[in-house]
Amino acid sequence: MTIDGPSGSGKGTVAARVTQALGWHILDSGALYRLVGLAAQRAGVDLCDTTAVAETARTLTAKFVDGKIFLDGEDVSLAIRTETAGNNASKVAAIPEVRSALLDWQRNYARLPGLVADGRDMGTVVFPDAGVKIFLDASADERARRRYKQLKDKGIDVNLLGLIAEIEERDHRDRNRSVAPLVPAQDAQIIDSTQLDVDTVVDRVLQAVYEAYPEAGLKNGI
Ligand code: DC
């Protein structure tokens, strides 16, 4: 199943909760674009140099182990989560050769008993045949407020207006790029989470999965 949506829509949290409830595997595709951005930055590659960034994507040596993410053997799980890393990810993600370099890697991640794939183009490009597709949305203001709270809770000082501007800039880039722009798949179920709490969203997503895959529900006693 796939969960797509803009940054701050709660995809990551919902995908993790749904994965746990189902006992399935998870693919956080945004982490891959964040890794490419970080690897390029560390190698001194200019993010506007599309050929060099694409080469970084093709030669990426990243590993996902026990919920941690390693780049060239170093644990970068936290380093890839900053706002700068998110913005850099959005920039490298607009390069078509970067996207094609990561395509097989993502498809090879599909495994039994099932995969929850979270990103921007999971239902449209990477897994067009997925049995359940969710597009999780929320207003830009609400997404910025959630992100603001998350950062504050971590003790990171941020400016709410600056955050709204950054989110809008990232949305604009992700929605308007020429390859795999952020759009709901035609057969996606759209959930607007602006007024919903996480539990309600998780319940709706699980309901959609149990309808499409009754055996997943049986396993979970439903
Ligand atoms: O989900 P995230 O915030 O970790 O993603 C970071 C950036 O990576 C996002 O702004 C756009 C890009 N991305 C993408 O283009 N396609 C994906 N499937 C996932 C992320």
Side-chain angles (χ1 to χ4, degrees):
M1 69 147 315
T2 60
I3 306 181
D4 288 305
S7 40
S9 57
K11 277 180 297 112
T13 309
V14 171
R17 293 261 308 262
V18 168
T19 303
Q20 206 184 13
L22 295 170
W24 285 10
H25 299 276
I26 189 165
L27 168 64
D28 169 10
S29 62
L32 287 176
Y33 292 94
R34 288 171 181 265
L35 280 164
V36 173
L38 188 69
Q41 201 189 21
R42 289 191 170 177
V45 168
D46 181 348
L47 296 188
C48 297
D49 181 347
T50 55
T51 312
V53 178
E55 186 56 20
T56 306
R58 278 191 287 269
T59 54
L60 195 69
T61 52
K63 282 210 170 75
F64 291 65
V65 188
D66 297 335
K68 289 193 176 154
I69 303 174
F70 295 84
L71 178 65
D72 295 328
E74 180 193 337
D75 182 356
V76 293
S77 315
L78 292 180
I80 59 162
R81 295 293 158 203
T82 65
E83 293 305 295
T84 308
N87 263 319
N88 288 344
S90 163
K91 286 179 191 157
V92 303
I95 304 171
E97 294 81 2
V98 167
R99 305 200 72 84
S100 50
L102 299 180
L103 196 56
D104 284 347
W105 200 99
Q106 295 173 87
R107 287 192 176 145
N108 287 337
Y109 218 80
R111 57 198 62 178
L112 291 170
L115 181 71
V116 178
D118 142 16
R120 303 291 187 291
D121 62 341
M122 299 294 99
T124 49
V125 176
V126 182
F127 300 110
D129 299 329
V132 177
K133 298 180 185 178
I134 303 291
F135 189 88
L136 193 56
D137 213 344
S139 73
D141 282 5
E142 177 60 20
R143 290 185 283 120
R145 262 195 298 276
R146 288 178 191 167
R147 188 77 188 124
Y148 178 78
K149 187 174 176 306
Q150 253 178 12
L151 293 170
K152 278 274 179 200
D153 289 349
K154 282 190 202 158
I156 301 169
D157 208 18
V158 276
N159 169 298
L160 182 60
L161 287 181
L163 210 53
I164 294 178
E166 260 179 38
I167 283 205
E168 284 176 344
E169 184 194 331
R170 185 128 76 97
D171 277 359
H172 185 266
R173 198 184 302 114
D174 293 346
R175 290 184 204 268
N176 292 290
R177 64 183 176 220
S178 60
V179 268
L182 171 66
V183 282
Q186 273 187 343
D187 48 349
Q189 181 177 329
I190 299 176
I191 302 178
D192 186 332
S193 74
T194 308
Q195 315 266 13
L196 303 177
D197 61 20
V198 180
D199 287 347
T200 309
V201 177
V202 170
D203 282 351
R204 284 200 194 169
V205 174
L206 284 173
Q207 205 50 52
V209 174
Y210 297 144
E211 272 165 29
Y213 303 104
E215 68 281 8
L218 286 175
K219 193 177 147 273
N220 287 281
I222 292 179

